[in-house]
Amino acid sequence: MTDLAQIMQQVRDEARRRGVRWTNQRQIIVEIFIASNDHVTAEELHHRVRSIDASVSAATVYRTINLLVEIGVAHKRHFSSGSASFESALTKNHHDHLVCMSCGVITEFVHEPLEIQQNEVAQAHGFQLLHHRMELYGMCRTCTARGATVPASAWHALTDR
Amino acid sequence: MTDLAQIMQQVRDEARRRGVRWTNQRQIIVEIFIASNDHVTAEELHHRVRSIDASVSAATVYRTINLLVEIGVAHKRHFSSGSASFESALTKNHHDHLVCMSCGVITEFVHEPLEIQQNEVAQAHGFQLLHHRMELYGMCRTCTARGATVPASAWHALTDR
DNA sequence: CTACGTGCAAATCGTTTGCACTACT
DNA sequence: AGTAGTGCAAACGATTTGCACGTAG
């Protein structure tokens, strides 16, 4: 549906509308970010960007990804690792995550009943629900099949955040 | 049910069993941690500990709370703020959290249907569910009643982790 | 007596920021 | 021209760690 060029246009227009200048660095960073439609850390993104223009600094990658979050083009997530992950907000709808503690693969899912239950909980507590965070951790089919085990480090990473 | 002295005994025994020495600092830190049965950051804990013995260092508080997490006496949580919160694992059962984005109050809840739905999602994806994280963010009854609004900083803190 | 625990200060990690310079608009 | 963006290196906040000394066992 929404192809790369079209999305780029959209982001660029939104940036311009906010008086944000469109630099070469931003073009590269945003292009790579949108193109890699999985969960990327700032460091990974910086690394990928460097392969196109080695002179782009980490600071600029951080500044740009933060800009994208601010204008609503990217979502920032913190799974059970030290650094934040980012995902495009334009190419996907609301979803939650399943994280494999063995291979690290992140699967997205939507489950309406869960959303409904959440609203019920909130309502029962007189809470006006505005946002939620929900992550399921475990072992994916593939890892279970090959008899993998959850490394101790994954447990620590999990209970450590 | 489980009173302070009894829990202390339990923790101390578990520590001893692991060949961990029971120092004065640890006695104070653990006592205060167990006594404050809400969500505490390491810094808050350090502050409270200091009021009893000003010489206890932050490093020792960190080392001790990590020890507690390791022996399963404490749970570490990361809500939408920079630092981790800890809660006693002995005085409470499994529960999830409702976080008020206006006043910061954290309410615990248990909702069986949610747990069931989670298992269904995991099963549908061939996932062996081992752990989950679920936090509902919004505005509590009190804040809604007094017409409070969610500060921009809370939104940023939320979307920033 | 001998590890283990402590306080301190320095190191770490991911991320942000001040600065002098560059380049959109 | 003028202001926003850049790279660099230094600053950041939360947490950890190396070290020399102290103390539980």
Side-chain angles (χ1 to χ4, degrees):
Chain A
M1 310 270 111
T2 39
D3 78 313
L4 183 62
Q6 189 185 323
I7 293 178
M8 285 304 296
Q9 187 64 32
Q10 198 175 330
V11 176
R12 208 159 131 177
D13 288 352
E14 176 60 18
R16 282 244 173 75
R17 210 184 54 68
R18 300 196 180 212
V20 171
R21 293 181 185 170
W22 202 252
T23 64
N24 232 295
Q25 289 89 324
R26 283 181 178 162
Q27 174 73 28
I28 299 172
I29 296 169
V30 176
E31 237 170 37
I32 295 192
F33 173 64
I34 301 291
S36 48
N37 65 335
D38 49 343
H39 302 82
V40 208
T41 63
E43 202 204 359
E44 280 161 13
L45 186 53
H46 183 210
H47 191 256
R48 295 185 195 181
V49 167
R50 264 177 184 287
S51 72
I52 298 214
D53 180 345
S55 74
V56 178
S57 71
T60 295
V61 172
Y62 277 105
R63 283 189 272 235
T64 302
I65 196 83
N66 285 343
L67 173 67
L68 294 185
V69 170
E70 217 156 281
I71 69 179
V73 166
H75 285 315
K76 195 173 190 175
R77 312 251 185 212
H78 261 271
F79 297 113
S80 57
S81 89
S83 36
S85 291
F86 299 87
E87 62 182 336
S88 166
L90 298 179
T91 47
K92 314 197 172 169
N93 297 77
H94 167 74
H95 57 259
D96 292 306
H97 298 90
L98 272 159
V99 184
C100 177
M101 295 171 75
S102 181
C103 66
V105 154
I106 296 172
T107 311
E108 299 166 2
F109 73 85
V110 184
H111 193 61
E112 204 47 50
L114 268 174
E115 312 282 328
I116 294 169
Q117 295 296 335
Q118 287 172 23
N119 277 317
E120 277 178 22
V121 170
Q123 208 161 350
H125 287 262
F127 239 81
Q128 188 185 338
L129 192 56
L130 299 170
H131 194 87
H132 76 254
R133 176 152 70 172
M134 157 127 197
E135 292 142 26
L136 304 182
Y137 294 88
M139 207 146 56
C140 70
R141 203 191 318 259
T142 319
C143 285
T144 303
R146 79 163 130 77
T149 47
V150 174
S153 59
W155 268 113
H156 288 127
L158 188 54
T159 52
D160 274 21
R161 25 198 75 241
Chain B
M1 311 269 111
T2 39
D3 78 315
L4 183 62
Q6 190 185 322
I7 293 178
M8 285 305 295
Q9 187 65 32
Q10 199 176 329
V11 176
R12 207 158 130 178
D13 288 353
E14 177 59 19
R16 282 243 174 75
R17 210 183 55 67
R18 300 196 179 211
V20 171
R21 292 179 184 171
W22 202 251
T23 64
N24 230 295
Q25 290 89 323
R26 283 180 178 164
Q27 173 73 27
I28 299 172
I29 296 168
V30 177
E31 238 169 37
I32 295 192
F33 173 64
I34 301 292
S36 48
N37 65 335
D38 49 343
H39 302 81
V40 208
T41 63
E43 202 203 0
E44 279 161 13
L45 186 54
H46 183 211
H47 192 255
R48 296 185 195 182
V49 167
R50 265 177 183 286
S51 71
I52 299 214
D53 181 345
S55 75
V56 178
S57 72
T60 296
V61 172
Y62 276 106
R63 282 189 273 234
T64 303
I65 198 85
N66 284 343
L67 174 66
L68 294 185
V69 170
E70 217 157 280
I71 69 180
V73 166
H75 284 316
K76 195 173 189 175
R77 313 253 184 209
H78 260 271
F79 297 112
S80 57
S81 88
S83 35
S85 291
F86 299 88
E87 62 182 336
S88 166
L90 298 178
T91 48
K92 316 197 171 169
N93 298 77
H94 167 73
H95 58 259
D96 291 307
H97 299 91
L98 271 159
V99 183
C100 177
M101 295 171 75
S102 180
C103 68
V105 155
I106 296 171
T107 310
E108 298 166 3
F109 73 86
V110 184
H111 193 62
E112 205 46 50
L114 268 176
E115 312 282 328
I116 294 169
Q117 295 296 335
Q118 286 171 24
N119 278 316
E120 277 179 22
V121 171
Q123 209 161 350
H125 287 262
F127 238 81
Q128 188 186 338
L129 192 56
L130 298 171
H131 193 86
H132 75 253
R133 175 153 69 171
M134 157 126 197
E135 293 141 26
L136 304 182
Y137 293 87
M139 208 150 51
C140 70
R141 203 191 316 260
T142 320
C143 284
T144 304
R146 80 163 130 76
T149 47
V150 175
S153 60
W155 269 112
H156 288 127
L158 188 53
T159 51
D160 275 20
R161 25 197 76 240

